[in-house]
Amino acid sequence: MEPIKGTTILCVRRGQSVVIGGDGQVTQGDTIMKGDARKVRRLHHNQVIAGFAGGTADAFTLFERLEKKCEEFSYNLKRSCVELAKDWRTDKYLRRLESMIIAADKDETFLISGTGDVLEPQEGVVAIGSGGNFALSAAKALKRNSKLSSKEIATESLRIAAELCIY
């Protein structure tokens, strides 16, 4: 049996607006198993939005950990993400988790991985998942060459990615 995989998560920041969108698709091989999975969550009293690509159970575990880190570090998102990445990389249980997370608040955006990376995207656009590069390319082009809002850019970029990537 082939592993269940595939998603596209995109974060677009323009001015004071930040949006994280996801395709909601879960695939097994070349079959869509679910088309409306909820891969974007609000955390820490709606102060943080986060999206994941990877194993669902793994992502829920990491979302819970990120929420605890936000509480522990008084809503300092950067510090919370760094501490989560350190735990994720060094903890015997956590380092087996296969997922990536994009987390954003009103001021900052971060991509967090299990290898200890905490990256701040250039140009306020970042994407993960199998369709991430398609969505990222579309979002960067739309952001540079249009007056669309962050939500409109994210929506159209995910639509373009869906036309190109079956996952």
Side-chain angles (χ1 to χ4, degrees):
M1 187 160 154
E2 293 184 57
I4 293 176
K5 66 173 185 174
T7 196
T8 305
I9 301 294
L10 172 67
C11 179
V12 178
R13 180 179 294 278
R14 179 169 245 179
Q16 297 298 310
S17 174
V18 63
V19 173
I20 296 181
D23 63 0
Q25 185 169 297
V26 177
T27 59
Q28 185 171 28
D30 59 2
T31 303
I32 298 171
M33 301 298 288
K34 184 173 175 66
D36 63 351
R38 198 169 146 237
K39 299 175 184 180
V40 177
R41 304 268 192 244
R42 291 186 178 274
L43 305 172
H44 198 63
H45 311 292
N46 294 327
Q47 300 287 324
V48 174
I49 54 175
F52 74 89
T56 306
D58 296 353
F60 289 152
T61 299
L62 293 165
F63 279 162
E64 288 174 12
R65 296 281 181 128
L66 180 57
E67 178 95 45
K68 287 178 184 172
K69 294 294 182 188
C70 284
E71 290 171 9
E72 182 180 346
F73 296 107
S74 303
Y75 184 65
N76 181 332
L77 184 60
K78 182 182 284 188
R79 175 109 188 259
S80 300
C81 291
V82 168
E83 293 299 324
L84 174 63
K86 285 182 355 187
D87 288 354
W88 191 354
R89 188 173 54 93
T90 59
D91 183 271
K92 185 177 178 180
Y93 167 72
L94 290 179
R95 72 173 160 235
R96 296 176 191 260
L97 301 182
E98 296 182 17
S99 189
M100 291 183 84
I101 293 177
I102 296 172
D105 66 8
K106 62 184 178 69
D107 299 314
E108 300 175 298
T109 303
F110 299 100
L111 183 149
I112 313 161
S113 77
T115 58
D117 295 316
V118 179
L119 305 172
E120 289 185 78
Q122 291 182 323
E123 302 178 40
V125 180
V126 64
I128 55 176
S130 55
N133 285 336
F134 298 113
L136 180 66
S137 296
K140 284 187 172 191
L142 289 169
K143 187 173 180 189
R144 289 179 190 157
N145 299 302
S146 76
K147 302 255 188 250
L148 297 175
S149 70
S150 56
K151 182 177 181 181
E152 292 167 328
I153 291 170
T155 300
E156 185 59 23
S157 297
L158 287 167
R159 197 173 285 130
I160 290 168
E163 293 174 6
L164 301 171
C165 179
I166 64 167
Y167 299 108

